[in-house]
Amino acid sequence: MSINQQSYGYGASKSSIREIAAYGAMRKAQIGAQNVFDFSLGNPSVPAPDAVRDSIAHALSLPATALHGYTPANGLPAAREAVAASLNRRFGTAYQADDLYLTCGAAASISIVLNAVCNAGEEVIVIAPYFPEYAVFIQNAGATCVEVMADVKTFQIDVEAVEAAITPRTAAVMIDSPNNPVGSVYARANLQALAAVLEQKSAEYGHAIYLISDEPYREIAYDVEVPWVPDLYDRTIVCYSYSKSLSLPGERIGWVLVPSNNPEHDELVPAIAGAGRKMGFVCAPALFQRVLIDCVDEPTNIEAYARNREALTQGLSAIGYEYIEPQGAFYLWMKALEPDANAFFERAKSYELLPVPSDSFGCTGWVRVGYCVSHQTIVDSMPAWQKLWDSYQR
Ligand code: PLP
């Protein structure tokens, strides 16, 4: 008998994003925070809205047993009603509280959905480059992660490549728009083309292929449409969290939505509840369920990210760097100055610049520059980006 080797492996090998962030923290302690340009983590630099504090203060006046007590496994009915009503106002839908399952953030939402829809030996397609934890969550659900590279020019979904990767074992395709790590937003036509393929393949193989739409960055988009995916494909399941939109990543609050137009809705809702039960992902933090009742319609403050995006793109393009124009989220996807992104990262590190090499996201030759940092960090980093560039011209 031995401990679970898969779990040991995940715990013993840290995520490279976290390793870079840990290095950044150590380096800041050594040479001063203002001298290290850490673009590694996706931790929002915008504070949570004041309404969140007000809501917490209000909740503290509740009797302690009510405040700290268990809620139903899928969340307080009033919180789920508030979320459903908010979605209905925004998207013209008719969702109900029971279509929602509240979770400890998008990571839990994704894990629950994968465990609800996958059987051992099935496959889940992800669009590379992708959030690296997807592979961990997919393997934990007993499925195989199948990487399909995005269109390398536009970083939109390469629908033909997805079509070619679908097999009779495909249980789901997972997308993330606005996208981490690229900052792209999938256009309506791109999603419609994907929907047409999934419909045709579901019919051909005689079983549902689900579209798992992971959307923690939905509200962070710069003047582009972020289509509501369940309107385009009936078999969509949406995973969401308030980690980015309300800057609450440490509070662990989000949801899964099984839209009412999903043909397997009535089986999926109990399967989601069962997956939550199986994994012990029940009763999301009660205080933040209450915060949702008050704050679900709070606007996301994207001005600071928009300003950072402007400064970063202008500064880097003036130097000569190539990147994908970011349409959403708070990441810039920049071409490394040599084919090996890890080697480029090592050289960037010597100028105290800490982006994340693209190999961590399942593709080579790029880096992710997270601009959820202070504006000053972006401004102050420009001479270092210039020196890094110059070092490649010699
Ligand atoms: N999905 C994507 C694409 C993310 O970028 C993240 C976090 O950075 C998550 C899911 C996990 O979000 P949460 O912190 O809400 O679990």
Side-chain angles (χ1 to χ4, degrees), residues 287-305:
L287 177 59
F288 282 83
Q289 293 190 37
R290 292 200 168 79
V291 166
L292 291 193
I293 299 171
D294 295 331
C295 300
V296 75
D297 284 326
E298 274 300 305
T300 301
N301 176 1
I302 69 164
E303 281 81 45
Y305 301 133

Side-chain angles (χ1 to χ4, degrees), residues 327-350:
Q327 298 173 299
F330 36 54
Y331 306 108
L332 178 96
W333 192 240
M334 191 175 88
K335 231 179 160 93
L337 296 178
E338 59 183 300
D340 181 347
N342 288 317
F344 177 68
F345 166 72
E346 286 303 325
R347 197 181 299 190
K349 207 166 138 188
S350 69

Side-chain angles (χ1 to χ4, degrees), residues 120-344:
E122 291 180 346
E123 294 166 355
V124 177
I125 293 176
V126 298
I127 312 300
Y130 62 98
F131 179 54
E133 296 306 285
Y134 286 171
V136 180
F137 302 151
I138 291 168
Q139 281 159 17
N140 182 46
T144 303
C145 178
V146 176
E147 298 178 2
V148 172
M149 190 58 205
D151 179 310
V152 284
K153 283 209 183 77
T154 59
F155 283 91
Q156 296 280 304
I157 302 164
D158 182 340
V159 176
E160 275 179 25
V162 172
E163 184 172 11
I166 294 176
T167 74
R169 291 179 302 281
T170 305
V173 174
M174 191 135 87
I175 57 169
D176 154 38
S177 171
N179 183 265
N180 173 13
V182 175
S184 52
V185 172
Y186 297 146
R188 178 171 286 268
N190 191 226
L191 292 168
Q192 278 167 333
L194 176 67
V197 162
L198 297 184
E199 255 152 39
Q200 189 247 315
K201 288 285 178 183
S202 295
E204 182 182 332
Y205 292 131
H207 68 83
I209 301 176
Y210 294 103
L211 183 55
I212 304 173
S213 186
D214 175 31
E215 310 194 344
Y217 301 95
R218 164 165 285 281
E219 285 75 24
I220 307 174
Y222 312 102
D223 299 325
V224 283
E225 183 201 16
V226 184
W228 181 239
V229 183
D231 281 349
L232 306 179
Y233 184 61
D234 284 348
R235 288 190 163 112
T236 299
I237 305 171
V238 184
C239 297
Y240 185 78
S241 91
Y242 297 88
S243 297
K244 319 290 172 171
S245 57
L246 293 184
S247 297
L248 296 173
E251 306 301 354
R252 317 306 301 138
I253 187 77
W255 44 256
V256 173
L257 170 75
V258 181
S260 39
N261 59 320
N262 191 311
E264 287 86 29
H265 172 276
D266 293 355
E267 285 166 71
L268 282 169
V269 168
I272 296 285
R277 177 180 175 194
K278 208 163 74 171
M279 289 186 287
F281 287 179
V282 290
C283 178
L287 177 59
F288 282 83
Q289 293 190 37
R290 292 200 168 79
V291 166
L292 291 193
I293 299 171
D294 295 331
C295 300
V296 75
D297 284 326
E298 274 300 305
T300 301
N301 176 1
I302 69 164
E303 281 81 45
Y305 301 133
R307 190 164 164 247
N308 283 357
R309 166 181 175 264
E310 188 76 12
L312 188 63
T313 51
Q314 280 185 2
L316 292 177
S317 55
I319 295 170
Y321 287 100
E322 277 177 56
Y323 54 82
I324 297 295
E325 194 67 39
Q327 298 173 299
F330 36 54
Y331 306 108
L332 178 96
W333 192 240
M334 191 175 88
K335 231 179 160 93
L337 296 178
E338 59 183 300
D340 181 347
N342 288 317
F344 177 68

